[in-house]
Amino acid sequence: GSTTGLGAHELRDLLDGPLAPLRNTHKFDVLVRLPLVIGLCHACTVLTREKVVGKVTAIAMTVVSVLGVVGAAAPAWSGQLAPRGTFAGVPGYWGDAADWLESHANGRTLLTPASTFGRYVWGRTNDEPLQALMRTPWAVRNVVPLVPGADIDALDTVSRALQQGQGSAALATFLRRSGVGTVVVRHDLDQSQVDVESPETVRDTLLTTPGLRLVASFGPQVGGPPTFTTLGGREVLADVGRRAERPAIEVFSFDRPVATQVVEDDPATVVGDSDSLLRLDDTGVSSGGSSVLA
């Protein structure tokens, strides 16, 4: 968060530079564990010497140390060293999709359906694969969107509209005004996540949204009858028969280019939120022009 006071600016510069490994728990964790383990080894070496603590205490310390090592190694000898969702690599079709989007994306790319984290049938990346594979603008509604509150509100509005299963001219207007010209439907999302909307519903909404059309697809077929599919170098249960067989990734885009910035001398003022603006688009009152939310 934002810090103030004496040295705040210098502290932020340090955390963005040399002290970057100390910013996050998952980065700092290893820096704490290593010296603790070294210290534990040294303590065990000293405390197991009979001349220091006595024979009984030395034996007790040895037993405790052995049990500690065995307990810490439990994930290894129980075959669970790799956490759930571990993957050898991001499937190649995600790289193909990213390359295509770099060259053909119309405006900002929106990943759908919304999901808490990047959890796919081939593995759990947590961060989205496109974060490492793309340089052009993209967006997704996840559990911790690192964007201003108004942007989150707009993403929520789009997510709710995509859950209707029926598109509309208002949704097309709202997406275009937001600079979103390309929508990616992820059929390879892990459907065991309770908060993930069906990609089939999203797909139906996009197919019935004026101006949007299916322009590309990538990856093997997923879905359909309960079956195992090879993804990311291993066989996974891609679906349990809840949806039709689709390519892992489908890309929809508007027929016409999307303006990344629209400037009007006197934009309309809407007293409401993003949902209000979508409803005004639906009734034709806003006419798709620039608006300021008050």
Side-chain angles (χ1 to χ4, degrees), residues 201-244:
T201 303
V202 174
R203 186 180 192 272
D204 287 344
T205 303
L206 296 175
L207 285 173
T208 52
T209 298
L212 274 176
R213 60 188 180 91
L214 179 62
V215 294
S217 61
F218 304 90
Q221 299 290 311
V222 295
T227 183
F228 283 87
T229 303
T230 301
L231 292 174
R234 63 191 180 97
E235 282 197 334
V236 296
L237 183 61
D239 197 70
V240 290
R242 292 177 295 182
R243 52 198 168 103

Side-chain angles (χ1 to χ4, degrees), residues 30-267:
V30 66
L31 301 180
V32 174
R33 286 177 181 266
L34 286 176
L36 283 177
V37 170
I38 293 173
L40 177 63
C41 292
H42 176 67
C44 291
T45 300
V46 173
L47 295 177
T48 52
R49 294 173 183 165
E50 291 184 27
K51 61 181 180 180
V52 177
V53 295
K55 184 175 182 179
V56 175
T57 305
I59 293 174
M61 283 300 304
T62 301
V63 172
V64 170
S65 300
V66 171
L67 290 176
V69 171
V70 172
W77 52 258
S78 63
Q80 298 177 347
L81 187 61
R84 183 182 177 188
T86 297
F87 58 99
V90 176
Y93 61 81
W94 268 102
D96 296 337
D99 291 341
W100 189 94
L101 290 168
E102 287 275 1
S103 303
H104 300 87
N106 179 10
R108 186 178 300 275
T109 298
L110 177 65
L111 295 183
T112 62
S115 60
T116 52
F117 295 100
R119 295 178 178 174
Y120 296 88
V121 293
W122 45 265
R124 296 187 176 187
T125 59
N126 287 330
D127 291 333
E128 291 298 335
L130 288 188
Q131 183 168 326
L133 298 174
M134 273 185 64
R135 294 182 298 274
T136 52
W138 62 277
V140 66
R141 177 55 166 112
N142 55 18
V143 68
V144 190
L146 301 178
V147 294
D151 291 355
I152 298 174
D153 186 42
L155 288 170
D156 285 341
T157 296
V158 172
S159 295
R160 285 190 288 269
L162 292 175
Q163 294 172 13
Q164 302 304 310
Q166 178 64 46
S168 65
L171 176 59
T173 299
F174 193 93
L175 288 172
R176 294 181 65 89
R177 182 196 286 108
S178 303
V180 174
T182 306
V183 183
V184 172
V185 181
R186 302 173 289 171
H187 292 284
D188 59 346
L189 275 177
D190 181 3
Q191 290 294 291
S192 65
Q193 301 181 71
V194 295
D195 55 344
V196 174
E197 191 67 26
S198 169
E200 281 294 304
T201 303
V202 174
R203 186 180 192 272
D204 287 344
T205 303
L206 296 175
L207 285 173
T208 52
T209 298
L212 274 176
R213 60 188 180 91
L214 179 62
V215 294
S217 61
F218 304 90
Q221 299 290 311
V222 295
T227 183
F228 283 87
T229 303
T230 301
L231 292 174
R234 63 191 180 97
E235 282 197 334
V236 296
L237 183 61
D239 197 70
V240 290
R242 292 177 295 182
R243 52 198 168 103
E245 193 174 81
R246 307 288 185 199
I249 298 174
E250 289 186 318
V251 181
F252 291 78
S253 183
F254 282 107
D255 296 325
R256 295 181 291 110
V258 173
T260 56
Q261 184 177 11
V262 177
V263 179
E264 293 183 3
D265 294 334
D266 187 23

